Amino acid sequence: DAGVIQSPRHEVTEMGQEVTLRCKPISGHNSLFWYRQTMMRGLELLIYFNNNVPIDDSGMPEDRFSAKMPNASFSTLKIQPSEPRDSAVYFCASSSQVSGNTIYFGEGSWLTVV
Amino acid sequence: QQQVKQSPQSLIVQKGGISIINCAYENTAFDYFPWYQQFPGKGPALLIAIRPDVSEKKEGRFTISFNKSAKQFSLHIMDSQPGDSATYFCAASRDGRGSTLGRLYFGRGTQLTVWP
């Protein structure tokens, strides 16, 4: 059974470039979360969707960040333009009513902005 | 504002010892308290979870102790092993209702190192 799939696993980009991170949640899960992890701030929830609808985006740091979920099996997190302080590991996670409150994380996208 | 406060930030334990990580919360609406384990290069994964209707839950060497009146809960790892070396996150949420389904508030994490 495939878990949450994220791509790319690693990305190095130059400041000012657009970055798009992709996520495929576990099939049948109807909640999707984007987290950012840094040494300084730990795990931060950026945004979460329920049934493809954004429910809480209060964690999105600024307008440079945007997230979409066009269908139940795909989501993107976009950073435009990227800055060095965006360097972090970005995790996508999903859950469902069947799984209760268990959130399943992907392996993360390691972003470095130089 | 940190909804869940976790300590210590790092912990070093000798093999066979007991590892204890503590968490505290303020929101009395929380009624689900999981612990997640994260190995380097991996995403966090659910380790064990408790609901406030019990004061303790044990799964193998891992035990959650829950003190509802103090709004605190802790993870105890008995007979700690080098393979337990990882980052541990406590978390809390309200039981899934509508738009809050599954929304977890995480602690800052504890980096556990178990020396052989």
Side-chain angles (χ1 to χ4, degrees), chain B residues 17-92:
Chain B
I18 303 174
S19 305
I20 302 174
I21 305 170
N22 300 299
C23 284
Y25 64 97
E26 286 298 324
N27 189 342
T28 55
F30 288 151
D31 60 3
Y32 175 72
F33 303 90
W35 286 88
Y36 277 74
Q37 180 187 54
Q38 183 182 27
F39 293 106
K42 301 292 186 183
L46 179 66
L47 180 64
I48 185 173
I50 196 169
R51 293 189 186 274
D53 52 344
V54 296
S55 60
E56 186 175 283
K57 183 173 182 179
K58 185 176 181 180
E59 289 184 2
R61 295 183 295 108
F62 301 90
T63 299
I64 300 179
S65 296
F66 184 80
N67 186 330
K68 188 173 181 178
S69 60
K71 294 186 285 187
Q72 295 175 346
F73 58 110
S74 60
L75 176 68
H76 296 237
I77 306 174
M78 311 299 288
D79 186 26
S80 299
Q81 299 296 312
D84 297 330
S85 297
T87 301
Y88 292 81
F89 294 93
C90 63

Side-chain angles (χ1 to χ4, degrees), chain A residues 9 30-31 33 35 37 39-43 45 48 50 55-56 91 95-97 101-103 105-107 110, chain B residues 32 36 38 41-46 51 89 93-96 98-104 106-108 111:
Chain A
R9 288 298 316 279
N30 64 338
S31 291
F33 308 82
Y35 283 89
Q37 186 174 36
M39 289 294 292
M40 290 295 295
R41 301 173 69 90
L43 265 174
L45 178 66
Y48 82 99
N50 194 35
I55 301 301
D56 183 355
F91 287 103
S95 71
S96 71
Q97 270 181 303
N101 283 0
T102 301
I103 290 179
F105 284 80
E107 295 208 322
W110 294 66
Chain B
Y32 175 72
Y36 277 74
Q38 183 182 27
K42 301 292 186 183
L46 179 66
R51 293 189 186 274
F89 294 93
S93 79
R94 293 165 50 187
D95 203 356
S99 64
T100 62
L101 177 67
R103 202 252 197 250
L104 283 175
F106 282 92
R108 291 293 302 272
Q111 192 165 345

Side-chain angles (χ1 to χ4, degrees), chain A residues 3-112:
Chain A
V4 176
I5 299 173
Q6 292 187 244
S7 65
R9 288 298 316 279
H10 299 271
E11 172 119 0
V12 180
T13 190
E14 289 187 345
M15 183 174 66
Q17 296 298 305
E18 178 179 292
V19 174
T20 299
L21 307 179
R22 297 173 178 80
C23 175
K24 177 178 167 54
I26 293 172
S27 177
H29 282 193
N30 64 338
S31 291
L32 182 139
F33 308 82
W34 282 101
Y35 283 89
R36 178 172 67 176
Q37 186 174 36
T38 61
M39 289 294 292
M40 290 295 295
R41 301 173 69 90
L43 265 174
E44 300 175 273
L45 178 66
L46 300 178
I47 185 171
Y48 82 99
F49 296 84
N50 194 35
N51 294 324
N52 311 339
V53 176
I55 301 301
D56 183 355
D57 66 354
S58 60
M60 295 287 261
E62 47 197 275
D63 292 345
R64 298 185 296 107
F65 286 70
S66 62
K68 293 182 180 179
M69 191 165 186
N71 58 62
S73 59
F74 184 66
S75 177
T76 59
L77 177 68
K78 187 174 292 186
I79 309 172
Q80 166 63 19
S82 58
E83 297 182 4
R85 61 192 167 122
D86 301 331
S87 298
V89 184
Y90 291 83
F91 287 103
C92 178
S94 69
S95 71
S96 71
Q97 270 181 303
V98 174
S99 75
N101 283 0
T102 301
I103 290 179
Y104 296 86
F105 284 80
E107 295 208 322
S109 292
W110 294 66
L111 174 65
T112 302

